């Protein structure tokens, strides 16, 4: 027990035996940190490639997307949108087409537009629009990203729209496993028949079944690697904080200190971790 306490003291607390620099912040440890960060980056990447993105994507649901969309409209004094099974069918066909034709755009390589899919589903519209998203883990992240983009926000808050439809589809796009989210907006043309609205749970059921068919490894590698990154970041933050505290307490003066280098290293690793989890919208 005493050896453990001595090791921790030597690792985190600056004193004479470690040249008044916590061992965890010595220059030679930076190489170890770089190797660890590189290995964790590979582990995180492998977690994404082993279908874990699809498993995570089950946390994105039509029910939640529909709820969050209407919450944003209510905050802006706009009427809620009605969930349309016809627009949801159009969204499903659009997502399947993106996977089949291997593209990430509002327009397919052969010139199909969002309006083609909406009309093809039997929805005659007066107004229509589309939002797309991929690589997100949670419904909140999708809607937040849409709200932070002017064009997507305009769609979400367009007063002319009265209905909305969603599709959440898993597949391979440009060689990577991913989840596409398609949101179709519309206002039916006057005098056209619009099928009765349905509860969000009824529309989302087929998508959930699709996600459940995905092969899941026993260990969620994406979760594990993300948590490992967090532990690593906490370790470095604690080491820097303790070093700064004791250096200030004992008036330790260092020549050529490396605190700035350590801090920059920590910032860049944090940026890398953030970038590896962010999704894309168009």
């Amino acid at each position: 027990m005493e050896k453990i306490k001595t090791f921790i003291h030597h690792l985190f607390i600056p004193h004479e035996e470690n040249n008044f620099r916590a061992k965890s912040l010595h220059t030679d440890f930076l190489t170890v940190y770089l190797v660890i960060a590189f290995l964790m980056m590979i582990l995180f990447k492998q977690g994404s490639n082993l279908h874990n993105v699809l498993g995570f994507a089950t946390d994105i649901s039509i029910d939640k997307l529909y709820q969050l969309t209407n919450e944003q409209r209510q905050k802006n004094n706009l009427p809620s949108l009605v969930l349309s099974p016809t627009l949801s069918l159009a969204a499903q066909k659009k997502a399947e087409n993106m996977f089949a034709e291997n593209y990430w755009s509002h327009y397919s390589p052969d010139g199909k537009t969002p309006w083609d899919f909406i009309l093809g589903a039997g929805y005659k519209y007066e107004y229509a629009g589309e939002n797309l998203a991929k690589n997100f883990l949670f419904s909140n992240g999708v809607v937040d990203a849409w709200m932070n983009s002017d064009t997507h926000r305009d769609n979400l808050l367009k007063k002319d729209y009265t209905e909305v439809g969603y599709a959440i589809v898993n597949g391979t796009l440009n060689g990577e496993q991913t989840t596409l989210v398609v949101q179709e907006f519309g206002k039916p043309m006057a005098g056209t028949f619009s099928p009765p609205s349905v509860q969000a749970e009824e529309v989302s059921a087929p998508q959930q079944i699709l996600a459940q068919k995905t092969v899941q490894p026993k260990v969620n590698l994406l979760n594990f690697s993300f948590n490992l990154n967090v532990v690593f970041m906490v370790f470095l933050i604690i080491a820097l904080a303790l070093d700064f505290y004791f250096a200030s307490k004992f008036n330790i003066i260092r020549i050529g200190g490396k605190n700035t280098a350590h801090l920059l290293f920590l910032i860049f690793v944090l940026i890398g971790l953030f970038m590896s989890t962010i999704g894309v919208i168009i």
Side-chain angles (χ1 to χ4, degrees), residues 118-134:
I118 293 174
L119 291 171
Y123 190 95
K124 296 182 180 180
Y125 61 86
E126 185 176 346
Y127 297 98
E130 176 182 85
N131 281 344
L132 302 177
K134 69 173 182 175

Side-chain angles (χ1 to χ4, degrees), residues 45-66:
K45 182 66 175 176
Q46 289 299 317
S48 298
N49 291 336
L50 290 176
H51 298 281
N52 282 298
V53 169
L54 301 185
F56 257 92
T58 57
D59 289 327
I60 302 178
S61 70
I62 290 175
D63 180 42
K64 190 65 174 177
L65 291 171
Y66 179 57

Side-chain angles (χ1 to χ4, degrees), residues 59-165:
D59 289 327
I60 302 178
S61 70
I62 290 175
D63 180 42
K64 190 65 174 177
L65 291 171
Y66 179 57
Q67 173 195 333
L68 293 171
T69 296
N70 277 332
E71 283 180 1
Q72 292 296 337
R73 289 179 66 87
Q74 290 163 10
K75 288 179 183 177
N76 288 273
N77 299 315
L78 293 168
S80 296
L81 299 172
V82 175
L83 191 61
S84 164
T86 309
L87 286 175
S88 292
L89 175 61
Q92 176 76 18
K93 295 299 182 183
K94 173 60 182 287
E96 291 173 354
N97 185 257
M98 281 195 286
F99 281 125
E101 301 295 330
N102 197 39
Y103 68 95
W104 171 238
S105 171
H106 291 291
Y107 302 95
S108 71
D110 59 1
K112 287 184 179 177
T113 70
W115 335 126
D116 292 322
F117 292 99
I118 293 174
L119 291 171
Y123 190 95
K124 296 182 180 180
Y125 61 86
E126 185 176 346
Y127 297 98
E130 176 182 85
N131 281 344
L132 302 177
K134 69 173 182 175
N135 297 341
F136 285 88
L137 305 182
F138 306 102
S139 301
N140 301 67
V142 175
V143 176
D144 286 346
W146 283 337
M147 288 298 295
N148 288 329
S149 163
D150 290 340
T151 54
H152 299 83
R153 179 187 173 90
D154 288 345
N155 267 340
L156 277 166
L157 303 182
K158 191 177 179 71
K159 63 180 181 180
D160 297 311
Y161 295 146
T162 59
E163 299 180 342
V164 68

